Amino acid sequence: MGGEISSDGGLTVSQRGICYNTSQNPTISNNKVVIGNGTGKFSTTVINLTTNTTYYVRAYAINSKGTAYGNQVSFKTDNSLFDVDGNIYKTVIIGNQVWMAENLKTTKYSNGTAIPYVTDGTIWKGLTTGAYCYFQNSTANGAVYGGLYNFYAVIDNRNLCPSGWHVPTDSEWSELREYLGGVNVAGNKLKETGTAHWKSPNASATNSSGFTALPGSWRGLGGAFYYNVGDCAIWWTSSDDNNPTHPLLYSLWSGPEFNRSHDPYFPNDAGCSIRCLKD
């Protein structure tokens, strides 16, 4: 936000800036940001606005004769998605669904309770409650690929996802896959293009869906980390399909397929990525 004072009318501008509000014709008695004094161009960035809200803005200038306002402009903030840690997520509309376009990174349930961070493989494999880690216990991997959460965290009633979002069911993942053409082609439409994250050649990936799937790999049997980042992307569903020890998951590998499976390498204490879906 900003403005320009082309003339001070012969009197020194002692203060200039912008004022804004959610109702029209804001004044300096509303929200105000001071941006120096004198003539010329000025601007600032305003943070902590309410999402999905229309704001009205005017520049102002003050001299000894009083306060003058510029023309009113308006804008609407987007509906950014935040988790309780303050991480911001891109989102994407695919068919009739609204998905996170990034893997979940939260370290807390939606009520603010910390999710245990477990690095030791022996402790991890004995868990019967929620936990998370990063691949190879690397926070750098976590920053790019998000956390790896066990299934106990998925089904915890404190909810992994931000308010208004949830871990998708099997049928919701299936809806995504079918909308993108089915098991044999959907993978290429989901994968991020290039080889910055996916193992070379990744030549057939288009990311035409905007989902931007990243290959964060997983933590499996005995708490061990399997393969490497770049090899595969694996996400939990919130469904066990009547197999309470090996829940359903969806995965992408080097090919174009988007696979659905129960897998003996993925019991409840495995660690997989999470993508949240809007309620």
Side-chain angles (χ1 to χ4, degrees):
M1 305 178 189
E4 181 179 9
I5 301 173
S6 57
S7 173
D8 61 11
L11 297 169
T12 300
V13 174
S14 59
Q15 186 183 110
R16 67 188 188 185
I18 57 98
C19 51
Y20 62 97
N21 203 8
T22 54
S23 57
Q24 296 196 36
N25 300 314
T27 71
I28 57 175
S29 63
N30 301 127
N31 302 293
K32 180 181 76 170
V33 182
V34 178
I35 317 172
N37 52 48
T39 59
K41 294 182 178 180
F42 56 94
S43 65
T44 189
T45 299
V46 177
I47 63 173
N48 295 326
L49 300 177
T50 304
T51 61
N52 199 32
T53 300
T54 298
Y55 284 88
Y56 300 90
V57 185
R58 294 198 292 180
Y60 75 89
I62 300 175
N63 64 17
S64 60
K65 287 292 185 180
T67 303
Y69 294 96
N71 294 329
Q72 175 178 276
V73 297
S74 65
F75 64 92
K76 186 174 183 179
T77 53
D78 66 15
N79 194 20
S80 298
L81 176 61
F82 296 80
D83 64 25
V84 294
D85 284 329
N87 297 307
I88 306 173
Y89 299 90
K90 297 176 183 178
T91 62
V92 62
I93 299 171
I94 306 176
N96 294 319
Q97 299 174 312
V98 183
W99 287 85
M100 276 186 176
E102 304 175 60
N103 290 341
L104 188 67
K105 298 178 180 179
T106 188
T107 65
K108 302 180 182 73
Y109 294 107
S110 62
N111 70 350
T113 302
I115 306 166
Y117 176 60
V118 179
T119 58
D120 184 85
T122 301
I123 296 173
W124 178 278
K125 72 178 181 180
L127 292 172
T128 57
T129 55
Y132 81 100
C133 64
Y134 303 123
F135 189 79
Q136 297 290 12
N137 296 322
S138 164
T139 55
N141 284 333
V144 175
Y145 302 101
L148 299 176
Y149 302 87
N150 66 16
F151 192 68
Y152 299 110
V154 172
I155 59 176
D156 193 292
N157 60 16
R158 290 171 288 188
N159 193 13
L160 273 179
C161 295
S163 178
W165 294 69
H166 63 276
V167 179
T169 64
D170 174 33
S171 62
E172 288 169 330
W173 277 107
S174 179
E175 179 181 339
L176 172 70
R177 185 171 70 172
E178 294 311 304
Y179 180 82
L180 296 178
V183 58
N184 293 319
V185 299
N188 284 338
K189 299 176 183 180
L190 293 166
K191 287 181 181 178
E192 180 190 65
T193 58
T195 56
H197 298 109
W198 282 95
K199 181 185 291 185
S200 181
N202 198 34
S204 59
T206 67
N207 197 28
S208 60
S209 67
F211 189 84
T212 316
L214 293 181
S217 201
W218 87 95
R219 191 172 202 169
L221 289 175
F225 294 102
Y226 282 77
Y227 291 84
N228 296 295
V229 292
D231 287 321
C232 58
I234 301 171
W235 298 279
W236 287 123
T237 75
S238 58
S239 308
D240 62 21
D241 196 32
N242 296 318
N243 188 334
T245 60
H246 291 83
L248 281 165
L249 51 89
Y250 280 74
S251 61
L252 293 171
W253 297 77
S254 59
E257 298 84 11
F258 188 31
N259 299 299
R260 168 190 183 273
S261 64
H262 285 294
D263 192 301
Y265 284 95
F266 295 89
N268 291 343
D269 60 1
C272 299
S273 299
I274 296 291
R275 284 290 178 102
C276 299
L277 182 67
K278 192 172 184 180
D279 293 351

